[in-house]
Amino acid sequence: MNISEFQKIMKERFGEEDRRRGPYFLTVVLTSEVGELADAIKKNNRDGIREELADVMFCVVSLANVFDIDLEKEVVEKYVNQSKEKIREKWPEPVEKWKNNIVLKKFFLNRI
């Protein structure tokens, strides 16, 4: 199954309900799911990571459906059809700096 097929099924099953709840609600749920994903990553809980990634994907697809955005098309245009160098320009910070960032470490340590 590709992203478009998944998005179509989710629209058929939940599209009306998602539109009724609205994008703000869906964004709050997405934010919550991203927090749960961060907790699972912090705990190195592989089953939790799998579950939360699925929840995040569901929320992203729901938002795309509310705004009538073809998510697969957008992902392909932005990340498949561009060079690695162009994509890397969006996140110029070297990974090692992020790994060693004291502020980030304190943030995650304080969430335990």
Side-chain angles (χ1 to χ4, degrees):
M1 175 178 295
N2 61 37
I3 296 171
S4 291
E5 291 168 334
F6 176 69
Q7 187 172 353
K8 182 180 178 192
I9 291 168
M10 293 302 99
K11 189 172 196 172
E12 290 168 359
R13 289 186 184 175
F14 303 104
E16 188 176 313
E17 185 176 341
D18 287 343
R19 287 189 191 282
R20 184 178 49 77
R21 289 181 171 170
Y24 179 75
F25 171 81
L26 294 171
T27 302
V28 170
V29 174
L30 172 61
T31 303
S32 173
E33 295 300 340
V34 169
E36 291 174 15
L37 173 60
D39 287 341
I41 290 170
K42 181 177 57 182
K43 295 173 183 172
N44 198 28
N45 177 348
R46 192 157 176 81
D47 290 336
I49 293 167
R50 275 194 294 266
E51 181 180 326
E52 298 310 330
L53 282 170
D55 291 347
V56 167
M57 180 73 168
F58 176 80
C59 291
V60 169
V61 167
S62 292
L63 277 166
N65 282 338
V66 166
F67 289 104
D68 294 319
I69 293 170
D70 181 338
L71 193 56
E72 184 172 300
K73 177 184 172 226
E74 297 304 321
V75 169
V76 168
E77 285 180 12
K78 191 164 186 177
Y79 293 104
V80 176
N81 294 341
Q82 289 190 40
S83 68
K84 282 201 257 184
E85 293 74 26
K86 185 74 173 169
I87 294 168
R88 284 185 184 137
E89 289 175 8
K90 296 175 190 348
W91 300 293
E93 189 75 29
V95 173
E96 290 305 314
K97 281 189 177 181
W98 282 91
K99 284 183 181 177
N100 296 320
N101 186 306
I102 301 298
V103 173
L104 288 175
K105 284 182 180 179
K106 285 182 180 178
F107 172 77
F108 280 106
L109 288 174
N110 289 334
R111 292 184 52 113
I112 296 177

